[in-house]
């Protein structure tokens, strides 16, 4: 009887881990973070996201910053303004670019300067149409301060 319970528990664990893996289904291309100078308190993270089904990017977090937000830069009249957005739609099969001057991840209140060549772990949080959340860890290399998008 114990082996049946163990088998059932194992099957449940496999199904749960499979559903978590299936629920993310986001391809992350060319992630990177802009390097900082001493005393700089914020920087941006950029990448291209392609979802296998309709999802929304609803949050992000990283251990290098006390606050991590999804932001948008947009023209308002003659001024470029940056603001936090509550979510970013990721339509099925369509690449959504997080780039300087557009949508991006802001790493705010940095705990330390970020140097070119190091890696920054960023956890992206996605939600489906029913609000079920899933997470995906991204390792983003830090690129030099003046670097353009790859």
């Amino acid at each position: 009887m114990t082996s049946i319970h163990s088998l059932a528990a194992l099957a449940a664990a496999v199904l749960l881990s499979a559903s978590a893996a299936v629920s993310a289904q986001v391809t992350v291309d060319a992630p990177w973070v802009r390097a900082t100078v001493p005393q700089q308190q914020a920087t941006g993270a950029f990448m291209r996201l392609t979802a296998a089904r309709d999802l929304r990017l609803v949050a992000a977090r990283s251990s290098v910053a006390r606050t991590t937000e999804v932001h948008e830069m947009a023209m308002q009249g003659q001024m470029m303004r940056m603001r936090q957005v509550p979510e970013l739609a990721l339509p099925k099969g369509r690449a959504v670019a997080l780039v300087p001057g557009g949508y991006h991840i802001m790493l705010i209140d940095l705990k330390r300067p970020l140097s070119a060549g190091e890696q920054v772990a960023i956890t992206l949080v996605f939600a489906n149409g029913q609000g079920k959340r899933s997470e995906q860890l991204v390792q983003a290399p830090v690129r030099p301060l003046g670097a353009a998008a790859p």
Side-chain angles (χ1 to χ4, degrees):
M1 199 64 150
T2 306
S3 63
I4 291 174
H5 289 254
S6 297
L7 185 58
L10 178 62
V14 167
L15 287 174
L16 284 174
S17 66
S19 81
V22 168
S23 63
Q25 290 193 30
V26 176
T27 301
V28 179
D29 291 313
W32 64 285
V33 173
R34 183 173 284 140
T36 62
V37 296
Q39 308 306 314
Q40 186 175 335
Q41 293 298 305
T43 192
F46 313 97
M47 61 200 74
R48 195 171 40 258
L49 304 173
T50 307
R53 59 189 178 119
D54 289 340
L55 292 174
R56 294 169 288 127
L57 175 63
V58 296
R61 65 180 180 275
S62 177
S63 63
V64 300
R66 288 179 180 82
T67 304
T68 306
E69 299 175 345
V70 180
H71 275 220
E72 160 186 52
M73 287 193 75
M75 290 298 291
Q76 288 183 342
Q78 298 295 320
M79 292 201 69
M80 181 69 88
R81 301 262 186 207
M82 181 171 56
R83 68 181 180 99
Q84 181 180 9
V85 294
E87 61 184 42
L88 175 60
L90 302 175
K92 176 183 176 181
R94 194 176 100 210
V96 175
L98 280 63
V99 296
Y103 289 106
H104 58 281
I105 305 290
M106 278 302 295
L107 302 167
I108 303 167
D109 197 9
L110 294 170
K111 296 177 182 177
R112 60 178 177 78
L114 302 178
S115 301
E118 68 178 291
Q119 295 281 320
V120 172
I122 302 170
T123 300
L124 304 177
V125 182
F126 303 101
N128 65 15
Q130 294 73 42
K132 183 175 179 178
R133 291 183 175 216
S134 59
E135 297 182 354
Q136 188 166 335
L137 181 64
V138 174
Q139 292 292 333
V142 177
R143 299 193 57 194
L145 194 56

